[in-house]
Amino acid sequence: MAMLRLLAISLLCGVVAVPLLGEPRGDGFEHARYAVLVALVIGQAVTVPIGSVAGLVLATTGSWPRTPGYATGAITAAFGVVVATQAWAASRWIDGSPPGLRDPEDSSLVAAAALLSGVFTICLGICIAVMRWSGYDPRTAPIRRSRTRRRPRTP
């Protein structure tokens, strides 16, 4: 569960790079959207491996067994929807050969990476919400019940 939680958090933390790297090359909303997507993909390329390693360490040691909550799943899925829709719109804009982009093929790759990131984030958020809704708790062991009652031992 720590792996899922930290993977979701690391996908969301990719936004930290947007103010640092999200400077548009041209004028207009489309150039700003593309710059934000590029910064998001770069930020996620840094934060996802860190979150995955931390989640793997915590999962193997059993330090953080709690199931992620509904809020984590809902926020992750909503963030994925925003990223996927903006990446789809940027992809459609790039296919129209806009002025001001140096290489439309490289730009299409960045938009495709952002779209895949958004779809993966949506799936992760839904998985977290479904696991929480189903009542899955790794700290509890399944109860084994026998069909026959055992007689108490007599000393």
Side-chain angles (χ1 to χ4, degrees):
M1 293 304 105
M3 186 72 181
L4 287 179
R5 179 175 292 174
L6 287 175
L7 185 59
I9 290 170
S10 64
L11 284 168
L12 295 172
C13 285
V15 174
V16 172
V18 171
L20 303 174
L21 303 173
E23 185 176 323
R25 291 187 180 172
D27 293 330
F29 179 74
E30 288 82 12
H31 287 280
R33 175 190 300 158
Y34 176 71
V36 166
L37 287 174
V38 169
L40 179 70
V41 169
I42 291 171
Q44 287 179 344
V46 172
T47 59
V48 169
I50 293 170
S52 298
V53 168
L56 188 62
V57 167
L58 289 174
T60 56
T61 60
S63 301
W64 206 2
R66 266 188 36 221
T67 306
Y70 291 113
T72 304
I75 290 169
T76 304
F79 178 74
V81 167
V82 170
V83 171
T85 56
Q86 294 305 310
W88 182 261
S91 171
R92 303 277 295 177
W93 173 69
I94 290 167
D95 289 342
S97 298
L101 286 178
R102 293 182 185 166
D103 191 5
E105 292 175 5
D106 289 341
S107 301
S108 295
L109 286 174
V110 170
L115 182 63
L116 288 175
S117 169
V119 170
F120 179 74
T121 307
I122 292 169
C123 293
L124 181 65
I126 290 171
C127 286
I128 289 172
V130 166
M131 287 180 71
R132 185 63 177 188
W133 177 71
S134 69
Y136 176 76
D137 189 7
R139 293 176 292 176
T140 59
I143 300 172
R144 294 187 182 191
R145 297 181 188 230
S146 63
R147 293 184 180 183
T148 60
R149 290 182 85 187
R150 294 187 183 189
R151 294 182 195 168
R153 292 179 129 180
T154 55

